[in-house]
Amino acid sequence: MNLLCLRCGNATYFETEVETVVEVTVIEGGIKIENALYPDLDYTAETLGDNLNDLLEYTDRQAESDMLFDADTDTYYSRYFKCARCGHNKVAPPLKPKRPELPLADELAQHHEEYSHLRKERQHYADNLSGLREQ
Amino acid sequence: MQITCPVCGNNKRFLVPLWVRVTFKFNEDGTISILHVRQLESLEDKITDQGKTSFAVTCKECGGEAEINLNEYESIEQEKRQRAVLEES
């Protein structure tokens, strides 16, 4: 999934806040902070990556009712991300396709002609030499 | 300062949860890369606030909840004072 900044259109660079775990070593009355390393695991990096992935997956599945609404652009945006390019805090998850609110029979009838055209196109590819080669 | 695990006796290595700000990017192949990580909290403050908030310093060896003694010399002095009082009486 990607995100989109509602101000500058950036779809690549973002920032967010996540929780990770670090190691504290006690040394002569003070403390030293490092990544928590185990023989075959950097627990700090692992936790950071997992929590970031979880947040992205959650945002992808999030319902509009859980998001904030920007009236200027008529768009719902996530409360967890910020654009790393322009600093804007209105970052939207990708648009999810919506079905019009009408009965399925009406929807099928409305697109009958388009579907017939699609079938013809498919038949054309099936009869075409390049299509046969792929099979 | 002294941190100890009452379960296994470890007094060296502990784990502390920490909030960070992550700057990341979406790569063209669908993966993400982390560009920068910035600490959002003071660990020193978190450790001294142990017990006042819901987070816990845990033992790296056994996962037990650690005990923090901010002034180990104070407890030694207190022991000495208690001993002196007992000896006098």
PDB file of all heavy atoms in Angstrom, chain A residues 1 12 14-26 31 33 37-38, chain B residues 1 12-26 40 43 60:
ATOM      1  N   MET A   1       0.835  -1.205   0.000  1.00  0.00           N
ATOM      2  CA  MET A   1       0.000   0.000   0.000  1.00  0.00           C
ATOM      3  C   MET A   1       0.865   1.249   0.000  1.00  0.00           C
ATOM      4  O   MET A   1       2.003   1.222   0.451  1.00  0.00           O
ATOM      5  CB  MET A   1      -0.900   0.017   1.231  1.00  0.00           C
ATOM      6  CG  MET A   1      -0.181   0.432   2.507  1.00  0.00           C
ATOM      7  SD  MET A   1      -1.289   0.852   3.821  1.00  0.00           S
ATOM      8  CE  MET A   1      -1.478   2.593   3.614  1.00  0.00           C
ATOM      9  N   THR A  12       5.757   8.946  -1.385  1.00  0.00           N
ATOM     10  CA  THR A  12       6.929   8.115  -1.101  1.00  0.00           C
ATOM     11  C   THR A  12       7.446   8.242   0.329  1.00  0.00           C
ATOM     12  O   THR A  12       7.674   7.245   1.005  1.00  0.00           O
ATOM     13  CB  THR A  12       8.080   8.483  -2.067  1.00  0.00           C
ATOM     14  OG1 THR A  12       7.586   8.445  -3.400  1.00  0.00           O
ATOM     15  CG2 THR A  12       9.239   7.500  -1.955  1.00  0.00           C
ATOM     16  N   PHE A  14       7.341   9.357   4.294  1.00  0.00           N
ATOM     17  CA  PHE A  14       6.416   9.670   5.389  1.00  0.00           C
ATOM     18  C   PHE A  14       7.079   9.448   6.737  1.00  0.00           C
ATOM     19  O   PHE A  14       8.128   8.811   6.815  1.00  0.00           O
ATOM     20  CB  PHE A  14       5.161   8.802   5.282  1.00  0.00           C
ATOM     21  CG  PHE A  14       4.417   9.054   4.017  1.00  0.00           C
ATOM     22  CD1 PHE A  14       4.646   8.282   2.898  1.00  0.00           C
ATOM     23  CD2 PHE A  14       3.527  10.113   3.934  1.00  0.00           C
ATOM     24  CE1 PHE A  14       3.997   8.545   1.708  1.00  0.00           C
ATOM     25  CE2 PHE A  14       2.866  10.374   2.752  1.00  0.00           C
ATOM     26  CZ  PHE A  14       3.107   9.599   1.636  1.00  0.00           C
ATOM     27  N   GLU A  15       6.468   9.983   7.776  1.00  0.00           N
ATOM     28  CA  GLU A  15       6.958   9.683   9.122  1.00  0.00           C
ATOM     29  C   GLU A  15       5.796   9.356  10.045  1.00  0.00           C
ATOM     30  O   GLU A  15       4.662   9.781   9.827  1.00  0.00           O
ATOM     31  CB  GLU A  15       7.833  10.814   9.666  1.00  0.00           C
ATOM     32  CG  GLU A  15       7.199  12.160   9.711  1.00  0.00           C
ATOM     33  CD  GLU A  15       8.180  13.233  10.159  1.00  0.00           C
ATOM     34  OE1 GLU A  15       9.308  13.269   9.655  1.00  0.00           O
ATOM     35  OE2 GLU A  15       7.795  14.047  11.015  1.00  0.00           O
ATOM     36  N   THR A  16       6.110   8.573  11.060  1.00  0.00           N
ATOM     37  CA  THR A  16       5.105   8.177  12.035  1.00  0.00           C
ATOM     38  C   THR A  16       5.796   7.851  13.358  1.00  0.00           C
ATOM     39  O   THR A  16       7.027   7.841  13.424  1.00  0.00           O
ATOM     40  CB  THR A  16       4.302   6.962  11.534  1.00  0.00           C
ATOM     41  OG1 THR A  16       3.223   6.728  12.425  1.00  0.00           O
ATOM     42  CG2 THR A  16       5.147   5.695  11.465  1.00  0.00           C
ATOM     43  N   GLU A  17       4.997   7.627  14.383  1.00  0.00           N
ATOM     44  CA  GLU A  17       5.567   7.303  15.689  1.00  0.00           C
ATOM     45  C   GLU A  17       5.211   5.872  16.063  1.00  0.00           C
ATOM     46  O   GLU A  17       4.043   5.494  15.982  1.00  0.00           O
ATOM     47  CB  GLU A  17       5.012   8.269  16.748  1.00  0.00           C
ATOM     48  CG  GLU A  17       5.548   9.674  16.533  1.00  0.00           C
ATOM     49  CD  GLU A  17       4.863  10.726  17.379  1.00  0.00           C
ATOM     50  OE1 GLU A  17       4.124  10.360  18.304  1.00  0.00           O
ATOM     51  OE2 GLU A  17       5.070  11.918  17.086  1.00  0.00           O
ATOM     52  N   VAL A  18       6.210   5.098  16.403  1.00  0.00           N
ATOM     53  CA  VAL A  18       5.979   3.706  16.820  1.00  0.00           C
ATOM     54  C   VAL A  18       6.800   3.406  18.070  1.00  0.00           C
ATOM     55  O   VAL A  18       7.743   4.131  18.391  1.00  0.00           O
ATOM     56  CB  VAL A  18       6.347   2.675  15.719  1.00  0.00           C
ATOM     57  CG1 VAL A  18       5.394   2.718  14.566  1.00  0.00           C
ATOM     58  CG2 VAL A  18       7.768   2.854  15.253  1.00  0.00           C
ATOM     59  N   GLU A  19       6.427   2.324  18.737  1.00  0.00           N
ATOM     60  CA  GLU A  19       7.158   1.942  19.937  1.00  0.00           C
ATOM     61  C   GLU A  19       8.139   0.810  19.616  1.00  0.00           C
ATOM     62  O   GLU A  19       7.823  -0.077  18.836  1.00  0.00           O
ATOM     63  CB  GLU A  19       6.184   1.473  21.028  1.00  0.00           C
ATOM     64  CG  GLU A  19       6.814   1.425  22.392  1.00  0.00           C
ATOM     65  CD  GLU A  19       5.810   1.037  23.481  1.00  0.00           C
ATOM     66  OE1 GLU A  19       4.913   0.229  23.204  1.00  0.00           O
ATOM     67  OE2 GLU A  19       5.940   1.534  24.590  1.00  0.00           O
ATOM     68  N   THR A  20       9.313   0.907  20.187  1.00  0.00           N
ATOM     69  CA  THR A  20      10.275  -0.180  20.040  1.00  0.00           C
ATOM     70  C   THR A  20      10.825  -0.519  21.433  1.00  0.00           C
ATOM     71  O   THR A  20      10.326  -0.009  22.430  1.00  0.00           O
ATOM     72  CB  THR A  20      11.397   0.194  19.054  1.00  0.00           C
ATOM     73  OG1 THR A  20      12.236  -0.935  18.848  1.00  0.00           O
ATOM     74  CG2 THR A  20      12.231   1.368  19.542  1.00  0.00           C
ATOM     75  N   VAL A  21      11.830  -1.374  21.469  1.00  0.00           N
ATOM     76  CA  VAL A  21      12.424  -1.766  22.758  1.00  0.00           C
ATOM     77  C   VAL A  21      13.934  -1.594  22.648  1.00  0.00           C
ATOM     78  O   VAL A  21      14.532  -2.028  21.668  1.00  0.00           O
ATOM     79  CB  VAL A  21      12.093  -3.248  23.076  1.00  0.00           C
ATOM     80  CG1 VAL A  21      12.772  -3.683  24.354  1.00  0.00           C
ATOM     81  CG2 VAL A  21      10.603  -3.451  23.184  1.00  0.00           C
ATOM     82  N   VAL A  22      14.542  -0.940  23.629  1.00  0.00           N
ATOM     83  CA  VAL A  22      16.002  -0.791  23.620  1.00  0.00           C
ATOM     84  C   VAL A  22      16.597  -1.462  24.856  1.00  0.00           C
ATOM     85  O   VAL A  22      15.887  -1.748  25.815  1.00  0.00           O
ATOM     86  CB  VAL A  22      16.436   0.692  23.586  1.00  0.00           C
ATOM     87  CG1 VAL A  22      16.106   1.345  22.257  1.00  0.00           C
ATOM     88  CG2 VAL A  22      15.837   1.476  24.730  1.00  0.00           C
ATOM     89  N   GLU A  23      17.912  -1.684  24.759  1.00  0.00           N
ATOM     90  CA  GLU A  23      18.590  -2.330  25.888  1.00  0.00           C
ATOM     91  C   GLU A  23      19.291  -1.275  26.744  1.00  0.00           C
ATOM     92  O   GLU A  23      19.925  -0.366  26.221  1.00  0.00           O
ATOM     93  CB  GLU A  23      19.623  -3.317  25.350  1.00  0.00           C
ATOM     94  CG  GLU A  23      20.344  -4.061  26.450  1.00  0.00           C
ATOM     95  CD  GLU A  23      21.272  -5.130  25.892  1.00  0.00           C
ATOM     96  OE1 GLU A  23      20.922  -5.758  24.876  1.00  0.00           O
ATOM     97  OE2 GLU A  23      22.342  -5.329  26.477  1.00  0.00           O
ATOM     98  N   VAL A  24      19.132  -1.410  28.038  1.00  0.00           N
ATOM     99  CA  VAL A  24      19.797  -0.513  28.981  1.00  0.00           C
ATOM    100  C   VAL A  24      20.825  -1.331  29.745  1.00  0.00           C
ATOM    101  O   VAL A  24      20.487  -2.346  30.351  1.00  0.00           O
ATOM    102  CB  VAL A  24      18.761   0.100  29.954  1.00  0.00           C
ATOM    103  CG1 VAL A  24      19.460   0.843  31.068  1.00  0.00           C
ATOM    104  CG2 VAL A  24      17.828   1.032  29.213  1.00  0.00           C
ATOM    105  N   THR A  25      22.095  -0.906  29.662  1.00  0.00           N
ATOM    106  CA  THR A  25      23.145  -1.597  30.406  1.00  0.00           C
ATOM    107  C   THR A  25      23.609  -0.686  31.539  1.00  0.00           C
ATOM    108  O   THR A  25      23.877   0.497  31.317  1.00  0.00           O
ATOM    109  CB  THR A  25      24.342  -1.907  29.473  1.00  0.00           C
ATOM    110  OG1 THR A  25      23.839  -2.517  28.299  1.00  0.00           O
ATOM    111  CG2 THR A  25      25.340  -2.824  30.142  1.00  0.00           C
ATOM    112  N   VAL A  26      23.681  -1.248  32.745  1.00  0.00           N
ATOM    113  CA  VAL A  26      24.116  -0.458  33.907  1.00  0.00           C
ATOM    114  C   VAL A  26      25.641  -0.484  33.967  1.00  0.00           C
ATOM    115  O   VAL A  26      26.248  -1.549  33.981  1.00  0.00           O
ATOM    116  CB  VAL A  26      23.524  -1.045  35.211  1.00  0.00           C
ATOM    117  CG1 VAL A  26      23.955  -0.207  36.398  1.00  0.00           C
ATOM    118  CG2 VAL A  26      22.009  -1.104  35.117  1.00  0.00           C
ATOM    119  N   ILE A  31      23.955   4.631  32.921  1.00  0.00           N
ATOM    120  CA  ILE A  31      23.350   3.654  32.016  1.00  0.00           C
ATOM    121  C   ILE A  31      23.820   3.899  30.581  1.00  0.00           C
ATOM    122  O   ILE A  31      24.135   5.020  30.204  1.00  0.00           O
ATOM    123  CB  ILE A  31      21.797   3.698  32.062  1.00  0.00           C
ATOM    124  CG1 ILE A  31      21.275   5.114  31.800  1.00  0.00           C
ATOM    125  CG2 ILE A  31      21.270   3.148  33.341  1.00  0.00           C
ATOM    126  CD1 ILE A  31      19.786   5.176  31.542  1.00  0.00           C
ATOM    127  N   ILE A  33      22.663   3.062  26.551  1.00  0.00           N
ATOM    128  CA  ILE A  33      21.505   2.632  25.751  1.00  0.00           C
ATOM    129  C   ILE A  33      21.991   2.099  24.406  1.00  0.00           C
ATOM    130  O   ILE A  33      22.740   2.771  23.706  1.00  0.00           O
ATOM    131  CB  ILE A  33      20.535   3.809  25.538  1.00  0.00           C
ATOM    132  CG1 ILE A  33      20.047   4.328  26.890  1.00  0.00           C
ATOM    133  CG2 ILE A  33      19.356   3.398  24.676  1.00  0.00           C
ATOM    134  CD1 ILE A  33      19.584   5.750  26.856  1.00  0.00           C
ATOM    135  N   LEU A  37      20.395  -6.717  21.409  1.00  0.00           N
ATOM    136  CA  LEU A  37      20.891  -7.751  20.505  1.00  0.00           C
ATOM    137  C   LEU A  37      20.877  -9.121  21.169  1.00  0.00           C
ATOM    138  O   LEU A  37      21.304  -9.266  22.313  1.00  0.00           O
ATOM    139  CB  LEU A  37      22.325  -7.421  20.071  1.00  0.00           C
ATOM    140  CG  LEU A  37      22.521  -6.107  19.317  1.00  0.00           C
ATOM    141  CD1 LEU A  37      24.000  -5.861  19.062  1.00  0.00           C
ATOM    142  CD2 LEU A  37      21.756  -6.103  18.004  1.00  0.00           C
ATOM    143  N   TYR A  38      20.363 -10.107  20.436  1.00  0.00           N
ATOM    144  CA  TYR A  38      20.447 -11.505  20.835  1.00  0.00           C
ATOM    145  C   TYR A  38      21.332 -12.191  19.793  1.00  0.00           C
ATOM    146  O   TYR A  38      21.591 -11.585  18.734  1.00  0.00           O
ATOM    147  CB  TYR A  38      19.046 -12.129  20.868  1.00  0.00           C
ATOM    148  CG  TYR A  38      18.223 -11.638  22.042  1.00  0.00           C
ATOM    149  CD1 TYR A  38      17.364 -10.553  21.905  1.00  0.00           C
ATOM    150  CD2 TYR A  38      18.315 -12.244  23.288  1.00  0.00           C
ATOM    151  CE1 TYR A  38      16.618 -10.085  22.987  1.00  0.00           C
ATOM    152  CE2 TYR A  38      17.572 -11.792  24.371  1.00  0.00           C
ATOM    153  CZ  TYR A  38      16.729 -10.713  24.213  1.00  0.00           C
ATOM    154  OH  TYR A  38      16.003 -10.252  25.280  1.00  0.00           O
TER     155      TYR A  38
ATOM    156  N   MET B   1      22.922   4.530  40.678  1.00  0.00           N
ATOM    157  CA  MET B   1      21.685   3.832  40.369  1.00  0.00           C
ATOM    158  C   MET B   1      21.956   2.335  40.230  1.00  0.00           C
ATOM    159  O   MET B   1      22.964   1.939  39.686  1.00  0.00           O
ATOM    160  CB  MET B   1      21.095   4.369  39.063  1.00  0.00           C
ATOM    161  CG  MET B   1      19.819   3.680  38.679  1.00  0.00           C
ATOM    162  SD  MET B   1      18.951   4.461  37.327  1.00  0.00           S
ATOM    163  CE  MET B   1      20.186   4.486  36.061  1.00  0.00           C
ATOM    164  N   LYS B  12      22.719  -6.283  35.118  1.00  0.00           N
ATOM    165  CA  LYS B  12      23.470  -5.633  34.043  1.00  0.00           C
ATOM    166  C   LYS B  12      22.591  -5.170  32.873  1.00  0.00           C
ATOM    167  O   LYS B  12      22.627  -4.024  32.477  1.00  0.00           O
ATOM    168  CB  LYS B  12      24.529  -6.605  33.495  1.00  0.00           C
ATOM    169  CG  LYS B  12      25.707  -6.808  34.415  1.00  0.00           C
ATOM    170  CD  LYS B  12      26.719  -5.688  34.253  1.00  0.00           C
ATOM    171  CE  LYS B  12      27.847  -5.838  35.253  1.00  0.00           C
ATOM    172  NZ  LYS B  12      28.279  -4.567  35.769  1.00  0.00           N
ATOM    173  N   ARG B  13      21.835  -6.097  32.295  1.00  0.00           N
ATOM    174  CA  ARG B  13      21.151  -5.807  31.029  1.00  0.00           C
ATOM    175  C   ARG B  13      19.621  -5.888  31.163  1.00  0.00           C
ATOM    176  O   ARG B  13      19.104  -6.892  31.613  1.00  0.00           O
ATOM    177  CB  ARG B  13      21.625  -6.768  29.944  1.00  0.00           C
ATOM    178  CG  ARG B  13      23.098  -6.602  29.640  1.00  0.00           C
ATOM    179  CD  ARG B  13      23.594  -7.632  28.664  1.00  0.00           C
ATOM    180  NE  ARG B  13      25.024  -7.547  28.516  1.00  0.00           N
ATOM    181  CZ  ARG B  13      25.653  -6.654  27.773  1.00  0.00           C
ATOM    182  NH1 ARG B  13      24.962  -5.790  27.063  1.00  0.00           N
ATOM    183  NH2 ARG B  13      26.962  -6.637  27.716  1.00  0.00           N
ATOM    184  N   PHE B  14      18.968  -4.810  30.696  1.00  0.00           N
ATOM    185  CA  PHE B  14      17.508  -4.725  30.815  1.00  0.00           C
ATOM    186  C   PHE B  14      16.898  -4.165  29.535  1.00  0.00           C
ATOM    187  O   PHE B  14      17.593  -3.536  28.739  1.00  0.00           O
ATOM    188  CB  PHE B  14      17.145  -3.841  32.008  1.00  0.00           C
ATOM    189  CG  PHE B  14      17.649  -4.407  33.294  1.00  0.00           C
ATOM    190  CD1 PHE B  14      18.916  -4.092  33.759  1.00  0.00           C
ATOM    191  CD2 PHE B  14      16.892  -5.307  34.013  1.00  0.00           C
ATOM    192  CE1 PHE B  14      19.411  -4.654  34.917  1.00  0.00           C
ATOM    193  CE2 PHE B  14      17.380  -5.870  35.175  1.00  0.00           C
ATOM    194  CZ  PHE B  14      18.640  -5.545  35.626  1.00  0.00           C
ATOM    195  N   LEU B  15      15.608  -4.392  29.372  1.00  0.00           N
ATOM    196  CA  LEU B  15      14.902  -3.898  28.191  1.00  0.00           C
ATOM    197  C   LEU B  15      13.891  -2.822  28.601  1.00  0.00           C
ATOM    198  O   LEU B  15      13.208  -2.975  29.607  1.00  0.00           O
ATOM    199  CB  LEU B  15      14.162  -5.040  27.488  1.00  0.00           C
ATOM    200  CG  LEU B  15      15.031  -6.197  26.968  1.00  0.00           C
ATOM    201  CD1 LEU B  15      14.155  -7.284  26.378  1.00  0.00           C
ATOM    202  CD2 LEU B  15      16.029  -5.710  25.926  1.00  0.00           C
ATOM    203  N   VAL B  16      13.835  -1.764  27.795  1.00  0.00           N
ATOM    204  CA  VAL B  16      12.917  -0.664  28.095  1.00  0.00           C
ATOM    205  C   VAL B  16      12.157  -0.300  26.818  1.00  0.00           C
ATOM    206  O   VAL B  16      12.778  -0.119  25.768  1.00  0.00           O
ATOM    207  CB  VAL B  16      13.697   0.586  28.576  1.00  0.00           C
ATOM    208  CG1 VAL B  16      12.753   1.711  28.937  1.00  0.00           C
ATOM    209  CG2 VAL B  16      14.565   0.252  29.756  1.00  0.00           C
ATOM    210  N   PRO B  17      10.815  -0.190  26.884  1.00  0.00           N
ATOM    211  CA  PRO B  17      10.072   0.250  25.702  1.00  0.00           C
ATOM    212  C   PRO B  17      10.330   1.735  25.443  1.00  0.00           C
ATOM    213  O   PRO B  17      10.494   2.506  26.394  1.00  0.00           O
ATOM    214  CB  PRO B  17       8.608  -0.001  26.071  1.00  0.00           C
ATOM    215  CG  PRO B  17       8.581  -0.027  27.545  1.00  0.00           C
ATOM    216  CD  PRO B  17       9.927  -0.467  28.023  1.00  0.00           C
ATOM    217  N   LEU B  18      10.369   2.109  24.180  1.00  0.00           N
ATOM    218  CA  LEU B  18      10.714   3.490  23.844  1.00  0.00           C
ATOM    219  C   LEU B  18       9.965   3.936  22.594  1.00  0.00           C
ATOM    220  O   LEU B  18       9.988   3.242  21.574  1.00  0.00           O
ATOM    221  CB  LEU B  18      12.228   3.573  23.591  1.00  0.00           C
ATOM    222  CG  LEU B  18      12.779   4.939  23.224  1.00  0.00           C
ATOM    223  CD1 LEU B  18      12.819   5.835  24.456  1.00  0.00           C
ATOM    224  CD2 LEU B  18      14.188   4.798  22.655  1.00  0.00           C
ATOM    225  N   TRP B  19       9.296   5.097  22.670  1.00  0.00           N
ATOM    226  CA  TRP B  19       8.615   5.643  21.485  1.00  0.00           C
ATOM    227  C   TRP B  19       9.619   6.391  20.619  1.00  0.00           C
ATOM    228  O   TRP B  19      10.421   7.175  21.127  1.00  0.00           O
ATOM    229  CB  TRP B  19       7.476   6.578  21.902  1.00  0.00           C
ATOM    230  CG  TRP B  19       6.256   5.825  22.301  1.00  0.00           C
ATOM    231  CD1 TRP B  19       5.896   5.439  23.550  1.00  0.00           C
ATOM    232  CD2 TRP B  19       5.235   5.322  21.424  1.00  0.00           C
ATOM    233  NE1 TRP B  19       4.720   4.717  23.510  1.00  0.00           N
ATOM    234  CE2 TRP B  19       4.290   4.641  22.224  1.00  0.00           C
ATOM    235  CE3 TRP B  19       5.031   5.371  20.039  1.00  0.00           C
ATOM    236  CZ2 TRP B  19       3.161   4.029  21.686  1.00  0.00           C
ATOM    237  CZ3 TRP B  19       3.901   4.754  19.507  1.00  0.00           C
ATOM    238  CH2 TRP B  19       2.988   4.100  20.321  1.00  0.00           C
ATOM    239  N   VAL B  20       9.564   6.127  19.319  1.00  0.00           N
ATOM    240  CA  VAL B  20      10.479   6.797  18.383  1.00  0.00           C
ATOM    241  C   VAL B  20       9.688   7.339  17.189  1.00  0.00           C
ATOM    242  O   VAL B  20       8.586   6.866  16.899  1.00  0.00           O
ATOM    243  CB  VAL B  20      11.567   5.823  17.853  1.00  0.00           C
ATOM    244  CG1 VAL B  20      12.503   5.395  18.951  1.00  0.00           C
ATOM    245  CG2 VAL B  20      10.943   4.616  17.174  1.00  0.00           C
ATOM    246  N   ARG B  21      10.264   8.358  16.531  1.00  0.00           N
ATOM    247  CA  ARG B  21       9.666   8.854  15.278  1.00  0.00           C
ATOM    248  C   ARG B  21      10.466   8.241  14.125  1.00  0.00           C
ATOM    249  O   ARG B  21      11.683   8.379  14.071  1.00  0.00           O
ATOM    250  CB  ARG B  21       9.722  10.378  15.211  1.00  0.00           C
ATOM    251  CG  ARG B  21       9.197  10.915  13.877  1.00  0.00           C
ATOM    252  CD  ARG B  21       8.946  12.382  13.909  1.00  0.00           C
ATOM    253  NE  ARG B  21       7.841  12.673  14.814  1.00  0.00           N
ATOM    254  CZ  ARG B  21       7.820  13.707  15.644  1.00  0.00           C
ATOM    255  NH1 ARG B  21       8.802  14.553  15.667  1.00  0.00           N
ATOM    256  NH2 ARG B  21       6.784  13.906  16.439  1.00  0.00           N
ATOM    257  N   VAL B  22       9.762   7.571  13.224  1.00  0.00           N
ATOM    258  CA  VAL B  22      10.414   6.883  12.108  1.00  0.00           C
ATOM    259  C   VAL B  22      10.104   7.606  10.814  1.00  0.00           C
ATOM    260  O   VAL B  22       8.948   7.901  10.516  1.00  0.00           O
ATOM    261  CB  VAL B  22       9.871   5.432  11.973  1.00  0.00           C
ATOM    262  CG1 VAL B  22      10.634   4.681  10.913  1.00  0.00           C
ATOM    263  CG2 VAL B  22       9.954   4.712  13.280  1.00  0.00           C
ATOM    264  N   THR B  23      11.145   7.909  10.045  1.00  0.00           N
ATOM    265  CA  THR B  23      10.942   8.421   8.684  1.00  0.00           C
ATOM    266  C   THR B  23      11.219   7.251   7.749  1.00  0.00           C
ATOM    267  O   THR B  23      12.251   6.596   7.866  1.00  0.00           O
ATOM    268  CB  THR B  23      11.909   9.577   8.391  1.00  0.00           C
ATOM    269  OG1 THR B  23      11.750  10.566   9.411  1.00  0.00           O
ATOM    270  CG2 THR B  23      11.617  10.212   7.036  1.00  0.00           C
ATOM    271  N   PHE B  24      10.285   6.984   6.851  1.00  0.00           N
ATOM    272  CA  PHE B  24      10.434   5.828   5.978  1.00  0.00           C
ATOM    273  C   PHE B  24       9.994   6.161   4.565  1.00  0.00           C
ATOM    274  O   PHE B  24       9.402   7.216   4.334  1.00  0.00           O
ATOM    275  CB  PHE B  24       9.631   4.631   6.515  1.00  0.00           C
ATOM    276  CG  PHE B  24       8.145   4.860   6.543  1.00  0.00           C
ATOM    277  CD1 PHE B  24       7.335   4.407   5.505  1.00  0.00           C
ATOM    278  CD2 PHE B  24       7.545   5.538   7.589  1.00  0.00           C
ATOM    279  CE1 PHE B  24       5.967   4.611   5.508  1.00  0.00           C
ATOM    280  CE2 PHE B  24       6.170   5.761   7.608  1.00  0.00           C
ATOM    281  CZ  PHE B  24       5.385   5.301   6.565  1.00  0.00           C
ATOM    282  N   LYS B  25      10.321   5.256   3.626  1.00  0.00           N
ATOM    283  CA  LYS B  25       9.868   5.476   2.253  1.00  0.00           C
ATOM    284  C   LYS B  25       9.333   4.184   1.652  1.00  0.00           C
ATOM    285  O   LYS B  25       9.734   3.088   2.041  1.00  0.00           O
ATOM    286  CB  LYS B  25      10.988   6.039   1.395  1.00  0.00           C
ATOM    287  CG  LYS B  25      12.055   5.056   1.018  1.00  0.00           C
ATOM    288  CD  LYS B  25      12.905   5.618  -0.117  1.00  0.00           C
ATOM    289  CE  LYS B  25      13.897   4.576  -0.584  1.00  0.00           C
ATOM    290  NZ  LYS B  25      14.560   4.949  -1.818  1.00  0.00           N
ATOM    291  N   PHE B  26       8.418   4.357   0.720  1.00  0.00           N
ATOM    292  CA  PHE B  26       7.906   3.215  -0.039  1.00  0.00           C
ATOM    293  C   PHE B  26       8.811   3.022  -1.244  1.00  0.00           C
ATOM    294  O   PHE B  26       9.030   3.960  -2.015  1.00  0.00           O
ATOM    295  CB  PHE B  26       6.476   3.483  -0.520  1.00  0.00           C
ATOM    296  CG  PHE B  26       5.469   3.519   0.591  1.00  0.00           C
ATOM    297  CD1 PHE B  26       4.976   4.727   1.056  1.00  0.00           C
ATOM    298  CD2 PHE B  26       5.011   2.354   1.176  1.00  0.00           C
ATOM    299  CE1 PHE B  26       4.042   4.772   2.076  1.00  0.00           C
ATOM    300  CE2 PHE B  26       4.070   2.388   2.204  1.00  0.00           C
ATOM    301  CZ  PHE B  26       3.585   3.597   2.657  1.00  0.00           C
ATOM    302  N   LEU B  40      11.881   9.789  21.035  1.00  0.00           N
ATOM    303  CA  LEU B  40      10.912  10.810  21.436  1.00  0.00           C
ATOM    304  C   LEU B  40      10.835  10.997  22.951  1.00  0.00           C
ATOM    305  O   LEU B  40      10.179  11.908  23.416  1.00  0.00           O
ATOM    306  CB  LEU B  40       9.518  10.437  20.917  1.00  0.00           C
ATOM    307  CG  LEU B  40       9.327  10.505  19.408  1.00  0.00           C
ATOM    308  CD1 LEU B  40       7.948   9.993  19.045  1.00  0.00           C
ATOM    309  CD2 LEU B  40       9.508  11.911  18.887  1.00  0.00           C
ATOM    310  N   LEU B  43      15.041   8.388  28.187  1.00  0.00           N
ATOM    311  CA  LEU B  43      15.068   7.109  28.915  1.00  0.00           C
ATOM    312  C   LEU B  43      15.366   7.303  30.393  1.00  0.00           C
ATOM    313  O   LEU B  43      14.854   6.590  31.246  1.00  0.00           O
ATOM    314  CB  LEU B  43      16.125   6.195  28.309  1.00  0.00           C
ATOM    315  CG  LEU B  43      15.625   5.215  27.272  1.00  0.00           C
ATOM    316  CD1 LEU B  43      16.731   4.296  26.854  1.00  0.00           C
ATOM    317  CD2 LEU B  43      14.462   4.395  27.818  1.00  0.00           C
ATOM    318  N   LYS B  60      16.528  -8.626  30.658  1.00  0.00           N
ATOM    319  CA  LYS B  60      16.799  -9.166  29.319  1.00  0.00           C
ATOM    320  C   LYS B  60      16.960 -10.684  29.356  1.00  0.00           C
ATOM    321  O   LYS B  60      16.712 -11.364  28.368  1.00  0.00           O
ATOM    322  CB  LYS B  60      18.070  -8.530  28.758  1.00  0.00           C
ATOM    323  CG  LYS B  60      18.258  -8.797  27.273  1.00  0.00           C
ATOM    324  CD  LYS B  60      19.570  -8.308  26.756  1.00  0.00           C
ATOM    325  CE  LYS B  60      19.727  -8.712  25.305  1.00  0.00           C
ATOM    326  NZ  LYS B  60      21.089  -8.512  24.820  1.00  0.00           N
TER     327      LYS B  60
END
